[in-house]
């Protein structure tokens, strides 16, 4: 039994709309050993190792259902068991995850195991540890070789996993803030492996690190860390504080203690979390020892008067006290029978106690500090305390060292409440914790005394959100309400676009429209990340990492995300939801890769974008595979895009008040038209959109329609949409590799990145519609990782439509021979009837482009499909025909120019769709949509 492959999905994917891990698990010979055959002993051993599995309902949907399933005659297979074990391991580490599913991968003994995770490293480790645990529970003869190391111990491995998980998990305070933000619909991003978190997107973001916020004053944090200065400031305001002195040597500490008067406390000058504090010191030797303990944490040490009373933490947020807790140091209570060690073991049996921050309480530890505390009372670990005797194992009451917390918010005296609020305001903190000693918190400090030990920046929330006694308090909510007052935005509008072809151009068009409308867009594309039109990161940035990069940028106020198949299959989407999601088309490309073999499977991948759309799903009604996606979205509205004004479904959708973008014929050409709630909105003539080459580039007409529909669905004004479309062109600078035109040679060059049959065919159609007085020449290629039939389809898309064909390959061979792709495509051209004399095989891209350029004569049209875009474009614009002057055009190739007379475009013919049965459609407030197919 072994893991063949693993994928970690950070967002919506084929398997879930939240983070999950997918394992491809090969059971090997264990395929023949389901739990029913393994027998009850295996189940019992698993139940003993992970008792929490008893709460898993599985298909029975009730506690005990999973074990019931395992004990059935046939039982269940170990892939399914691993799913539940990985979930339960995360549960015992303190994570609330529940989702999982296991299915056959289509090969004997191989299963796809999917389970939810809360943090990546923990989730991966849970799968690996779960596999090892299951192997260790198998009979020796069935254990896979090397699966269980010699001397491996389950309890030790479990506890180490919990510690591993907690080192990587958000702390209790940060987690409570994230939960409060999530409850208010505020998105969040974790910015590092510790507690730095971004709440909100783009320019609306706020940052927290534990309970320090982006608004926390640096001076206030410095003051709170300076215990001596804090003491002075509070004293000048008449607030109750102990007398204290700052010392650097043992002798100074002893002399200070005598001046102040015993008993005293020693603590680090700038310590935290109760580290290095010694209390109730009554002798010179104890002061010296306390000084040395504090000196381990700080060069300077504070000696202060010891105040009698219980330790209280008073939490103040935005000037208001929101919680008060009485803290008691970790201790045991004697019974006259058991030793201290036995009493500690008994306390640790409390199910509320765990490792670190795993649970509400932390386990007690008998360590050096505990032994010191025992010595002070004349006890040892094997001593038997008297009945009712409190034996303290810690001098401070921190929960992280086994202390307990009791909520006293409802009973705190108003004077004490006001005192805490004044203290935090005096230091200048937006979130502060006051450590206050009082014999009775219900009585005023003015009457019974008491004092402020210190004021803490970044106070922990654990004791308030999960006290061991009393009412839990929502202390994170007031912090979030301070950062995001009622009505304050936290999200930027997000639009995601996917499809086989046109994604990049449509995304760029939409980003350009938003910029024209006054927004500062963040854009992800196949060639980089753009912030306000400036490329900040170069490379293919169409996956979840780039999406989060954009949303983390504090400048942007709208996001346009090109979302590619590869990122969706590899790691899912980078956002849990989008306002507007669009699918342009589903065509044969990348089939046979990453388990996607058919167009229907590819459509299922691309459908994710509209499944998570909240406001509008924009769908190509002319593509049947895309049209069917309307049954899978929960968006408030559906907008169909069609170039066929006779489309039956779209017509009914419009009549039902639905939204659509259609291409309509007019006296002056074709008009991009919007429909919404019965309204008819003529938008722009296609020949006025530069990117369409006066309406002849039909694929860009459709891209412009999608950009317009998405912009409209984002709430952008019509005039801004018109302005954006009329000022977006296909220069190399604005849309590299997307139908770039170069007119500075005696011949025309059409330059494109098309790399599948559909995209190549669209450019070949355009080449036919352009007026050419000379020859048409094409430089053709295809990615080496495509199937042979895909490469042949690319060749067939241009066959018979050009005068000469140059077949080349990409620089990246992708496991093919150096001339394999061009030879394959040349053979396909010959088979399609292209004369052999019209075909040249020049494998190298630069040599192929150079040959085409040298072949060009006045009046010719060269259609060059390129892979290395920047290099190839420079090669084109710097080329000089023999005896010719250097081209005058700039490096971006100038503006697109069709090079033909300005005759209006005609309405393009559209292939008729198969007849639709309108009675089988779903009608609701969103208009008309296709009913989803039944799931397996």
């Amino acid at each position: 039994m072994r893991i063949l492959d693993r994928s970690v999905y950070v967002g919506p994917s084929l398997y879930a709309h939240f983070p999950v891990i997918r394992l491809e698990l090969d059971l090997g010979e264990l395929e023949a050993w389901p739990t029913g055959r393994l027998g009850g002993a295996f189940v019992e051993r698993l139940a003993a190792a992970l008792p929490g599995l008893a709460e898993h309902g599985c298909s029975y949907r009730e506690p005990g259902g999973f074990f019931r399933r395992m004990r059935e005659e046939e039982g269940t297979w170990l892939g399914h068991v691993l799913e539940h074990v990985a979930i339960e391991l995360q549960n015992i580490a303190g994570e609330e995850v529940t989702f999982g599913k296991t299915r056959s991968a289509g090969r004997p003994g191989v299963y796809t195991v999917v389970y939810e995770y809360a943090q990546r490293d923990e989730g991966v480790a849970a799968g690996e540890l779960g596999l090892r645990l299951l192997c260790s529970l198998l009979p020796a003869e069935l254990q896979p070789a090397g699966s269980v190391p010699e001397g491996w111990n389950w309890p030790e491995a479990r506890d180490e996993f919990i510690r591993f998980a907690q080192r990587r998990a958000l702390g209790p305070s940060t987690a409570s803030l994230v939960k409060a933000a999530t409850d208010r619909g505020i998105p969040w991003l974790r910015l590092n492996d510790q507690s730095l978190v971004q709440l909100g997107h783009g320019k609306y973001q706020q940052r927290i690190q534990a309970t320090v916020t982006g608004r926390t004053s640096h001076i206030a944090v410095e003051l709170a860390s300076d215990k001596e200065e804090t003491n002075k400031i509070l004293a000048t305001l008449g607030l109750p504080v102990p007398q204290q002195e700052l010392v650097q040597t043992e002798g100074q500490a002893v002399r200070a203690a005598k001046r102040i008067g015993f008993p005293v406390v020693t603590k680090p000058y700038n310590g935290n979390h109760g580290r290095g504090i010694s209390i109730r010191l009554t002798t010179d030797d104890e002061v010296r020892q306390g000084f040395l303990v504090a000196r381990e944490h700080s060069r300077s040490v504070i000696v202060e008067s010891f105040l009698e009373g219980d330790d209280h933490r008073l939490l103040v947020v935005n000037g208001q006290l929101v919680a008060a807790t009485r803290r008691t140091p970790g201790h045991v209570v004697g019974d006259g029978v058991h030793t201290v060690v036995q009493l500690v073991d008994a306390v640790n049996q409390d199910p509320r106690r765990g490792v670190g921050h795993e649970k509400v309480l932390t386990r007690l530890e008998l360590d050096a500090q505990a032994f010191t505390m025992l010595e002070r009372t004349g006890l040892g670990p094997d001593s038997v305390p008297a009945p009712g005797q409190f034996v303290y194992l810690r001098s401070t009451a921190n929960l992280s060292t086994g202390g307990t917390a009791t909520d006293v918010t409802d009973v705190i005296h108003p004077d004490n409440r006001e005192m805490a609020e004044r203290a935090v305001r005096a230091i200048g903190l937006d979130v502060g914790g006051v450590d206050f000693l009082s014999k009775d918190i219900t009585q005023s400090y003015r009457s019974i005394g008491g004092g402020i030990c210190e004021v803490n920046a970044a106070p922990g929330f654990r004791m308030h959100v999960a006290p061991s006694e009393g009412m839990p308090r929502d202390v994170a909510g007031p912090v979030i309400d301070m950062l995001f007052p009622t009505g304050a935005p936290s999200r930027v509008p997000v639009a995601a676009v996917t499809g086989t072809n046109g994604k990049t151009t449509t995304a760029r068009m939409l980003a350009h429209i938003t910029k024209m409308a006054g927004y500062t867009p963040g854009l992800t594309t196949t060639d980089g990340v753009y912030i306000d039109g400036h490329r900040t990161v170069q490379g293919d940035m169409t996956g979840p990492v780039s999406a989060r990069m954009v949303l983390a940028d504090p400048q942007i106020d709208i996001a346009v995300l090109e979302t590619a198949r590869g990122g969706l299959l590899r790691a899912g989407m980078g956002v849990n939801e989008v306002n507007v999601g669009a699918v342009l088309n589903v065509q044969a490309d990348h089939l046979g890769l990453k388990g996607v073999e058919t167009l229907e499977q590819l459509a299922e991948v691309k459908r994710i974008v509209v499944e998570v759309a909240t406001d509008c799903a924009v769908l190509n009604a002319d593509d049947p595979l895309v049209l069917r996606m309307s049954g899978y979205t929960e968006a408030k509205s559906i907008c169909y895009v069609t170039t066929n004004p006779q489309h039956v479904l779209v017509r009914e959708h419009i009549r039902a008040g639905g939204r659509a973008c259609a291409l309509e014929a007019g006296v002056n050409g074709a008009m991009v038209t919007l429909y919404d709630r019965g309204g008819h909105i003529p938008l722009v003539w296609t020949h006025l959109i530069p990117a369409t080459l006066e309406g002849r580039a039909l694929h860009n007409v459709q891209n412009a329609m999608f950009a317009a529909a998405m912009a409209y669905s984002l709430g952008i004004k019509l005039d801004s949409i018109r302005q954006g479309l009329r000022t977006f062109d296909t220069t190399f600078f604005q849309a590299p590799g997307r139908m770039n035109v170069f007119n500075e040679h005696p011949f025309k060059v059409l330059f494109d990145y098309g790399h599948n049959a559909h995209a190549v065919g669209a450019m070949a159609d355009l080449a036919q519609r352009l007026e050419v007085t000379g020859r048409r020449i094409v430089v053709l290629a295809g990615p080496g990782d495509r199937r042979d039939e895909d490469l042949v389809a690319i060749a067939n898309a241009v066959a018979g439509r050009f005068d000469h064909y140059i077949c080349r390959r990409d620089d990246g061979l992708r496991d093919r021979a150096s001339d394999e792709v061009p030879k394959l495509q040349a053979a396909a051209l010959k088979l399609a009837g292209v004369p052999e004399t019209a075909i040249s095989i020049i494998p190298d891209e630069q040599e192929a482009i150079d040959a085409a350029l040298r072949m060009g004569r006045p009046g010719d049209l060269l259609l060059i499909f390129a892979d290395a875009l920047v290099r190839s474009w420079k090669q084109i614009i710097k080329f000089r025909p023999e005896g010719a002057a250097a081209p005058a055009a700039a490096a971006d190739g100038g503006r697109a120019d069709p090079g033909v007379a300005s005759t209006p475009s005609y309405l393009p013919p559209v292939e008729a769709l198969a007849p639709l049965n309108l009675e089988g459609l779903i009608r609701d407030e969103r208009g008309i949509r296709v009913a989803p197919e039944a799931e397996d």
Side-chain angles (χ1 to χ4, degrees):
M1 183 164 61
R2 61 196 180 100
I3 296 172
L4 302 178
D5 187 37
R6 178 192 296 113
S7 297
V8 180
Y9 296 97
V10 300
S13 65
L14 279 171
Y15 306 101
H17 289 171
F18 43 81
V20 294
I21 290 173
R22 180 195 66 84
L23 303 178
E24 189 174 284
L25 182 70
D26 184 1
L27 295 185
E29 65 175 348
L30 293 172
E31 168 70 3
W33 288 87
T35 57
R37 186 180 178 190
L38 286 172
F42 174 81
V43 179
E44 296 307 320
R45 289 195 294 270
L46 180 60
L50 288 173
L53 287 172
E55 297 301 315
H56 290 219
C58 197
S59 56
Y60 290 101
R61 301 184 184 279
E62 62 182 16
F66 175 57
F67 282 147
R68 178 180 171 187
R69 173 82 179 273
M70 290 183 69
R71 292 187 175 100
E72 290 174 351
E73 182 177 351
E74 184 181 47
T76 188
W77 274 259
L78 290 181
H80 182 210
V81 178
L82 177 59
E83 165 205 323
H84 282 268
V85 169
I87 291 171
E88 180 58 25
L89 282 171
Q90 294 179 82
N91 291 160
I92 66 173
E95 308 290 3
E96 295 182 5
V97 295
T98 58
F99 173 82
K101 62 181 178 181
T102 300
R103 300 288 186 272
S104 170
R107 307 193 302 278
V110 180
Y111 292 83
T112 297
V113 179
V114 177
Y115 58 90
E116 184 181 1
Y117 72 92
Q119 49 172 317
R120 179 193 178 97
D121 292 343
E122 177 190 356
V124 170
E128 294 174 347
L129 179 59
L131 183 63
R132 181 161 292 175
L133 171 63
L134 292 180
C135 290
S136 74
L137 300 178
L138 292 169
E141 64 273 15
L142 292 179
Q143 287 186 9
S147 60
V148 184
E150 186 176 352
W152 185 77
N153 179 277
W154 161 243
E156 292 179 2
R158 176 199 59 207
D159 288 352
E160 178 56 33
F161 169 76
I162 292 173
R163 295 187 185 96
F164 170 86
Q166 291 184 353
R167 287 194 298 268
R168 287 155 178 80
L170 294 174
S173 301
T174 310
S176 68
L177 287 165
V178 166
K179 182 180 184 302
T182 302
D183 291 344
R184 289 160 173 76
I186 297 171
W188 64 280
L189 299 172
R190 189 172 184 176
L191 300 180
N192 65 7
D193 292 334
Q194 285 75 48
S195 298
L196 183 61
V197 172
Q198 173 184 314
L199 304 176
H201 287 158
K203 76 175 188 179
Y204 303 121
Q205 65 180 265
Q206 299 285 344
R207 291 181 181 176
I208 59 170
Q209 186 156 18
T211 59
V212 174
T213 77
R215 298 182 180 182
T216 302
S217 164
H218 177 71
I219 292 179
V221 173
E222 290 294 311
L223 280 176
S225 300
D226 187 334
K227 294 177 171 53
E228 181 185 31
E229 197 63 38
T230 296
N231 182 275
K232 291 179 181 178
I233 291 174
L234 299 183
T236 60
L237 296 178
L239 293 169
V241 292
Q243 183 182 352
Q244 66 177 211
E245 292 187 25
L246 185 68
V247 300
Q248 279 76 37
T249 67
E250 292 181 39
Q252 290 177 353
V254 172
R255 289 191 294 272
K258 290 179 177 179
R259 284 192 294 271
I260 293 171
F262 292 104
V264 296
V265 174
T266 57
K267 59 185 180 183
Y269 170 69
N270 52 1
N272 54 32
H273 295 291
R275 299 186 184 99
I277 298 178
S278 301
I279 66 171
R280 205 188 296 268
L281 307 179
T282 59
T283 68
D284 293 358
D285 288 341
E286 288 182 352
V287 171
R288 291 189 182 94
Q289 182 61 34
F291 173 87
L292 294 176
V293 171
R295 189 66 180 270
E296 294 177 2
H297 302 274
S298 174
R299 294 183 61 183
S300 298
V301 174
I302 288 177
V303 180
E304 69 179 23
S305 56
F306 175 75
L307 299 177
E308 293 285 350
D310 294 329
D311 182 8
H312 297 85
R313 168 60 61 82
L314 311 180
L315 182 65
V316 177
V317 175
N318 201 23
Q320 302 293 318
L321 186 136
V322 296
T325 300
R326 182 176 66 250
R327 301 183 296 181
T328 305
H331 65 279
V332 294
V333 181
D335 59 4
V337 177
H338 296 93
T339 66
V340 171
V341 171
Q342 293 170 330
L343 292 171
V344 168
D345 290 340
V347 169
N348 285 338
Q349 294 302 311
D350 186 340
R352 297 178 300 168
R353 290 189 182 269
V355 178
H357 295 302
E358 171 197 356
K359 296 182 179 179
V360 173
L361 298 174
T362 301
R363 294 171 60 182
L364 296 177
E365 299 288 345
L366 281 174
D367 53 13
Q369 188 175 353
F371 293 149
T372 299
M373 294 295 294
L374 289 172
E375 289 176 5
R376 290 182 181 176
T377 57
L379 299 174
D382 295 324
S383 300
V384 178
Q389 180 182 358
F390 277 73
V391 179
Y392 290 97
L393 304 176
R394 287 292 186 274
S395 61
T396 57
N398 296 78
L399 268 66
S400 58
T401 57
T404 58
T406 303
D407 179 74
V408 293
T409 307
D410 292 335
V411 298
I412 185 173
H413 192 279
D415 285 350
N416 298 337
R417 176 188 295 269
E418 180 192 26
M419 173 269 300
E421 294 171 349
R422 288 186 62 208
V424 172
R425 282 198 296 267
I427 301 304
L429 293 169
D430 56 346
V431 180
V434 177
D435 288 345
F436 180 64
L437 293 178
S438 173
K439 296 178 181 178
D440 186 353
I441 197 68
T442 66
Q443 301 296 313
S444 171
Y445 73 92
R446 302 177 190 276
S447 302
I448 65 170
I452 299 172
C453 298
E454 57 187 81
V455 177
N456 298 275
F461 285 1
R462 181 185 178 198
M463 68 189 76
H464 305 296
V465 299
S468 41
E469 296 180 35
M471 180 186 299
R473 301 290 171 173
D474 176 20
V475 295
V479 177
I480 301 302
D481 292 339
M482 174 185 69
L483 297 176
F484 297 94
T486 302
S490 63
R491 294 178 178 269
V492 300
V494 179
V497 55
T498 192
T500 304
N501 297 308
K503 299 185 297 295
T504 300
T505 299
T506 302
R508 285 179 172 275
M509 280 184 176
L510 179 57
H512 181 72
I513 291 170
T514 63
K515 187 169 175 60
M516 292 296 100
Y519 287 91
T520 301
L523 169 67
T524 66
T525 70
T526 52
D527 68 322
V529 172
Y530 292 78
I531 302 299
D532 198 25
H534 302 284
R535 185 163 65 180
T536 57
V537 180
Q538 187 174 352
D540 186 347
M541 305 299 288
T542 55
V545 172
S546 56
R548 296 186 173 206
M549 193 180 297
V550 161
L551 294 173
D553 193 288
Q555 187 179 356
I556 66 115
D557 54 12
I558 196 167
V560 180
L561 309 178
E562 179 183 346
T563 306
R565 167 210 61 92
L568 291 170
L569 286 172
R570 182 177 61 255
M573 290 187 68
V575 289
N576 292 332
E577 62 182 42
V578 299
N579 297 90
V580 177
V583 182
L584 308 185
N585 44 63
V586 178
Q587 299 294 331
D589 194 15
H590 300 282
L591 297 181
L593 300 175
K594 290 187 175 293
V596 177
E597 305 293 338
T598 67
L599 281 175
E600 288 73 20
Q601 290 175 328
L602 183 60
E604 189 177 355
V605 174
K606 296 184 179 297
R607 193 179 73 202
I608 298 168
V609 169
V610 295
E611 288 178 353
V612 300
T614 59
D615 296 340
C616 185
V618 183
L619 302 173
N620 184 351
D622 298 334
D623 186 323
L625 288 173
V626 179
L627 184 61
R628 294 191 189 106
M629 297 180 189
S630 61
Y632 296 87
T633 181
E634 297 298 323
K636 297 174 185 175
S637 63
I638 298 172
C639 180
Y640 293 117
V641 175
T642 179
T643 57
N644 178 10
Q646 305 304 317
H647 197 296
V648 178
L649 184 144
V650 176
R651 185 177 63 232
E652 292 300 316
H653 177 71
I654 291 171
R655 290 174 177 174
R659 186 177 301 170
C661 182
L663 196 62
E664 297 184 341
V667 175
N668 195 31
M671 172 69 74
V672 176
T673 306
L674 292 170
Y675 291 87
D676 190 28
R677 298 179 183 178
H680 174 256
I681 311 168
L683 191 64
V684 63
W685 297 106
T686 59
H687 63 269
L688 297 180
I689 304 173
T692 70
L693 301 188
E694 296 195 345
R696 287 171 174 78
L698 301 183
H699 60 289
N700 264 2
V701 169
Q702 188 178 67
N703 291 338
M705 294 171 68
F706 269 96
M710 295 178 74
Y712 178 79
S713 299
L714 287 168
I716 295 176
K717 294 180 180 179
L718 295 174
D719 285 344
S720 296
I721 300 174
R722 294 186 180 103
Q723 176 72 3
L725 291 177
R726 294 183 66 167
T727 55
F728 180 89
D729 56 34
T730 57
T731 59
F732 187 83
F733 173 78
Q734 194 156 36
R738 272 67 186 180
M739 203 183 70
N740 310 132
V741 179
F742 191 76
N743 283 312
E744 301 302 319
H745 294 316
F747 47 85
K748 183 188 302 295
V749 178
L750 198 57
F751 182 78
D752 198 81
Y753 180 61
H755 53 277
N756 59 62
H758 183 260
V760 169
M763 292 303 297
D765 289 344
L766 173 61
Q768 304 307 304
R769 283 192 292 274
L770 293 177
E771 187 175 309
V772 177
T773 60
R775 301 167 300 164
R776 291 180 172 86
I777 301 169
V778 63
V779 177
L780 186 67
D785 62 351
R786 302 306 195 266
R787 303 173 305 174
D788 286 356
E789 55 262 46
D790 297 327
L791 297 172
V792 169
I794 291 174
N796 289 336
V798 299
R801 310 174 82 175
F802 292 83
D803 299 294
H804 197 84
Y805 305 80
I806 299 177
C807 298
R808 64 160 188 86
R809 57 162 169 77
D810 291 346
D811 292 347
L813 300 181
R814 307 192 188 192
D815 297 325
R816 288 187 181 266
S818 62
D819 59 353
E820 183 178 352
V821 170
K823 283 184 175 179
L824 179 65
Q825 293 189 317
L829 290 171
K830 293 176 188 176
L831 193 62
V834 176
E836 189 170 352
T837 56
I839 303 172
S840 300
I841 297 178
I842 307 177
D844 182 77
E845 182 176 54
Q846 296 181 77
E847 293 177 4
I849 292 174
D850 184 68
L853 293 171
R854 294 186 182 281
M855 188 181 296
R857 297 196 297 262
D860 286 354
L861 170 66
L862 275 59
L863 174 56
I864 296 177
F865 291 103
D867 180 52
L869 297 181
V870 174
R871 183 187 70 194
S872 299
W873 183 251
K874 288 182 177 179
Q875 185 178 356
I876 292 168
I877 65 175
K878 292 181 179 180
F879 173 75
R880 291 185 61 184
E882 292 184 9
D892 66 2
R895 299 184 66 83
D897 178 7
V900 293
S902 298
T903 54
S905 173
Y906 57 90
L907 187 66
V910 180
E911 294 182 4
L913 294 171
L916 291 169
N917 179 7
L918 296 181
E919 294 181 358
L921 301 175
I922 297 176
R923 299 169 181 264
D924 57 21
E925 69 278 0
R926 298 181 291 175
I928 307 294
R929 56 194 172 97
V930 180
E933 298 174 1
E935 298 285 350
D936 293 334

